[in-house]
Amino acid sequence: MAIEKYKQTGPNYYIQPKKKYSAETKKWYVEGEGYTEIRTPSGNYPSKKWDELMLAAVEEDGLKDLLEGIKEHVRTHCLWLKEKEVEHYALSCLSNKSYEAWSDFSYQQSLF
């Protein structure tokens, strides 16, 4: 399965934005934005890139229905998440198979 290549294997970590000192203004400023990197068996990826890779893997493995079911479950049970965070969280739940432990979630995978 393609998803196994992008399964989260360790704690994610946050990369701080670069801080630089300006001799002219004598002040510190932040250059760029910070981002989260996700560890996988195939390497470390920035969060947005990991989302893209996982969506492609879901499509390749034919798990689009499962992902949509997880997203719906996350929308109803994780009310603190904003809509743009739902897909990332659902992909995370799919990659580490959290949905298997949810008592009120069922998914019937078709054989054909």
Side-chain angles (χ1 to χ4, degrees), residues 51-103:
D51 286 353
E52 293 169 10
L53 293 169
M54 276 295 292
L55 285 172
V58 164
E59 191 73 36
E60 183 180 326
D61 290 346
L63 299 174
K64 194 90 168 152
D65 292 339
L66 175 58
L67 178 61
E68 291 304 318
I70 293 172
K71 283 173 30 177
E72 192 57 42
H73 188 273
V74 167
R75 276 190 196 97
T76 56
H77 289 81
C78 304
L79 300 175
W80 62 90
L81 292 174
K82 296 177 182 152
E83 186 58 36
K84 64 182 181 181
E85 299 169 325
V86 167
E87 185 171 66
H88 176 76
Y89 192 76
L91 286 169
S92 178
C93 292
L94 178 62
S95 81
N96 60 29
K97 299 184 180 182
S98 299
Y99 62 91
E100 292 178 352
W102 298 340
S103 62

Side-chain angles (χ1 to χ4, degrees), residues 1-6 57 60-63 97 109:
M1 292 183 82
I3 286 183
E4 293 300 318
K5 291 189 328 191
Y6 306 113
E60 183 180 326
D61 290 346
L63 299 174
K97 299 184 180 182
Q109 187 173 7

Side-chain angles (χ1 to χ4, degrees), residues 7 20 29 98:
K7 180 180 177 183
K20 293 192 174 184
Y29 66 96
S98 299

